[in-house]
């Protein structure tokens, strides 16, 4: 039985009047053995073109310390010589990682580039002869209703496919909460003084310090929060804001890249979030995504999204909520991968 006939079987069973009052037998559910077996060819592709990203943990067992790697994300194999793309915010600083491709673990893992706008990290392992994902870059974005397959839970040796459909047209996902500078301010005798610089903000990255006085934005003099807020509101996450800061008796020009409010201050859970299990901490502010309904968890991001022929339609990037998972479309992923590899190899 192939994947398409299995889908037809599953739908027929659901539609059968005799079974309407019954729960679908386990064997015919999308994670049941019959349906899983029908996707064996796609599972085989997942096995080779996806990676499991683990963080090595050492646990004391008596007098010994043993390594117990923990799955923290998935990855997409992008080149034969060991470049792997994954979700940046799930792997943190990239230290202590183990990458498993097919059944082979690689402990010599380097995080060689990061793109904050897509929340994507490029990893490099010392490998040759890997099987890259076949990115579908020559066709339009997949239509709603297209069947897709992605990594479900992975055992130490085997990937388990999960099945769903494309559920919305490709689109941009704007940052939740808008762009922020990332500073706390006070107005003091006509001066706009920095009281606090928030972690992970563009202000921190640009070197803004406590007690700096912000005197101009884009060359225009400002003296209060309202003027600064209006200037920030005209920009989007990822834009650069040209500030003039007065510090130690001198004016300094500083360029600050605006971050998303959620990235700096976090996000409050809605009622839907509380019912959605483990969704991604970063789930907005993506330049373009395709959306499907595979029920993954936050640690399941970074892996490839395949069609029924094993071609790669994109890479999962965010478990958004109970019914929505976002993936970077294949063409955008190809462009992003090429740019990050060029950036990494030029160092």
């Amino acid at each position: 039985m192939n994947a398409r006939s299995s889908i037809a079987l599953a739908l027929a069973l659901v539609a059968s009047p005799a079974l309407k009052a019954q729960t679908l037998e386990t064997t015919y559910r999308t994670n049941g053995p019959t349906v899983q077996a029908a996707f064996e060819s796609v599972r085989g592709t997942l096995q080779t073109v996806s990676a499991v990203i683990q963080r090595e943990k050492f646990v004391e067992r008596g007098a010994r310390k043993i390594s117990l790697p923990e799955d923290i994300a998935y990855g997409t194999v992008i080149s034969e010589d060991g470049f792997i793309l994954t979700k940046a915010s799930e792997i943190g600083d990239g230290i202590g990682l183990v990458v498993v491709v097919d059944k082979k673990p690689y402990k010599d893992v380097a995080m060689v580039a990061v793109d904050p706008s897509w929340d994507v990290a490029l990893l490099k392992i010392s490998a040759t002869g890997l099987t890259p994902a076949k990115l579908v870059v020559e066709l339009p974005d997949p239509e709603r209703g297209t069947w897709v397959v992605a990594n479900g839970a992975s055992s130490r040796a085997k990937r388990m496919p999960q099945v769903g459909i494309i559920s919305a047209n490709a689109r941009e996902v704007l940052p939740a909460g808008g762009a922020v500078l990332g500073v706390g301010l006070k107005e003091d005798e006509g001066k706009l003084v920095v009281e606090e610089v928030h972690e992970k903000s563009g202000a921190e990255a640009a070197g803004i310090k406590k007690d700096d006085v912000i005197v101009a934005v884009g060359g225009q003099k400002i003296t209060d929060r309202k003027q600064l807020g209006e200037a920030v509101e005209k920009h989007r996450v990822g834009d650069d804001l040209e500030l003039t800061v007065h510090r130690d008796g001198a004016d300094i020009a500083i360029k600050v890249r605006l971050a998303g409010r959620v990235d700096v201050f976090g996000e409050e859970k809605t009622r839907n979030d509380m019912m959605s299990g483990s969704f991604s901490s970063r789930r907005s502010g993506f330049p373009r995504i395709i959306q499907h309904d595979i029920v993954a968890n936050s640690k399941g991001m970074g892996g490839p999204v395949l069609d029924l022929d094993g071609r790669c339609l994109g890479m999962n990037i965010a478990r958004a909520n109970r019914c929505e998972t976002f993936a970077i479309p294949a063409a955008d992923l190809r462009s992003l991968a090429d740019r990050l590899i060029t950036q990494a190899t030029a160092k």
Side-chain angles (χ1 to χ4, degrees), residues 26 31 83 86 92 105 127 169 240 254 258 269 274 286 300:
T26 300
N31 59 351
F83 283 110
T86 187
N169 293 333
D240 291 330
I254 297 180
L258 299 176
K269 283 188 175 182
M274 289 187 280
F286 301 109

Side-chain angles (χ1 to χ4, degrees), residues 1-9 35 37-42 149 308:
M1 182 184 296
N2 60 30
R4 289 183 174 82
S5 59
S6 176
I7 293 167
L9 172 61
V35 176
F39 289 94
E40 179 58 28
S41 63
V42 187
V149 182
L308 298 184

Side-chain angles (χ1 to χ4, degrees), residues 45-54 73-88 91 98-102 112 119-125 130-137 149-151 159 292 299-306 310-318 326-334 336-338 340-341:
T45 303
L46 274 178
Q47 185 78 28
T48 55
V49 306
S50 70
V52 180
I53 314 297
Q54 302 174 327
Y74 291 138
T76 299
V77 178
I78 212 70
S79 75
E80 295 181 2
D81 60 349
F83 283 110
I84 311 283
L85 292 176
T86 187
K87 181 172 173 66
I91 65 168
V98 176
V99 172
V100 180
V101 179
D102 199 348
V112 294
D119 194 18
V120 166
L122 179 68
L123 305 179
K124 181 69 173 66
I125 59 176
L130 302 184
T131 303
K134 294 180 180 178
L135 297 173
V136 180
V137 297
V149 182
N151 279 339
R159 311 287 190 273
H292 60 79
K299 296 180 180 179
M301 298 299 102
V305 179
L306 307 181
R311 301 178 303 177
C312 185
L313 302 178
M315 185 184 91
N316 280 333
I317 196 61
F326 298 154
I328 300 173
D332 299 271
L333 193 65
R334 178 76 270 169
L336 176 61
D338 290 346
L340 291 180
I341 291 173

Side-chain angles (χ1 to χ4, degrees), residues 15-165:
S16 170
L19 295 175
K20 279 185 177 179
Q22 302 179 21
T23 300
L24 189 66
E25 295 175 36
T26 300
T27 190
Y28 296 115
R29 295 176 188 170
T30 54
N31 59 351
T34 298
V35 176
Q36 289 284 322
F39 289 94
E40 179 58 28
S41 63
V42 187
R43 191 205 68 77
T45 303
L46 274 178
Q47 185 78 28
T48 55
V49 306
S50 70
V52 180
I53 314 297
Q54 302 174 327
R55 174 154 282 128
E56 197 166 23
K57 292 172 54 180
F58 290 93
V59 178
E60 292 187 0
R61 293 287 172 82
R64 296 185 307 147
K65 280 189 176 181
I66 62 173
S67 172
L68 289 175
E70 176 186 16
D71 294 0
I72 59 173
Y74 291 138
T76 299
V77 178
I78 212 70
S79 75
E80 295 181 2
D81 60 349
F83 283 110
I84 311 283
L85 292 176
T86 187
K87 181 172 173 66
S89 56
E90 289 295 335
I91 65 168
D93 57 13
I95 296 173
L97 299 181
V98 176
V99 172
V100 180
V101 179
D102 199 348
K103 300 177 184 178
K104 184 175 180 179
Y106 296 85
K107 295 187 177 182
D108 185 14
V109 181
M111 186 165 69
V112 294
V114 174
D115 186 294
S117 63
W118 288 97
D119 194 18
V120 166
L122 179 68
L123 305 179
K124 181 69 173 66
I125 59 176
S126 299
T128 57
L130 302 184
T131 303
K134 294 180 180 178
L135 297 173
V136 180
V137 297
E138 72 280 6
L139 298 175
D141 295 319
E143 297 179 349
R144 284 180 289 178
T146 301
W147 288 93
V148 291
V149 182
N151 279 339
S154 289
S155 68
R156 286 186 179 274
K158 191 174 181 180
R159 311 287 190 273
M160 298 293 289
Q162 279 192 303
V163 183
I165 61 169

Side-chain angles (χ1 to χ4, degrees), residues 278-314:
S278 174
F279 56 80
S280 299
S281 57
R282 162 79 187 275
R283 52 180 171 159
S284 68
F286 301 109
R288 215 167 75 88
I289 56 93
I290 52 177
Q291 177 182 319
H292 60 79
D293 65 353
I294 292 177
V295 180
N297 62 38
S298 60
K299 296 180 180 179
M301 298 299 102
V305 179
L306 307 181
D307 65 12
L308 298 184
D309 295 317
R311 301 178 303 177
C312 185
L313 302 178

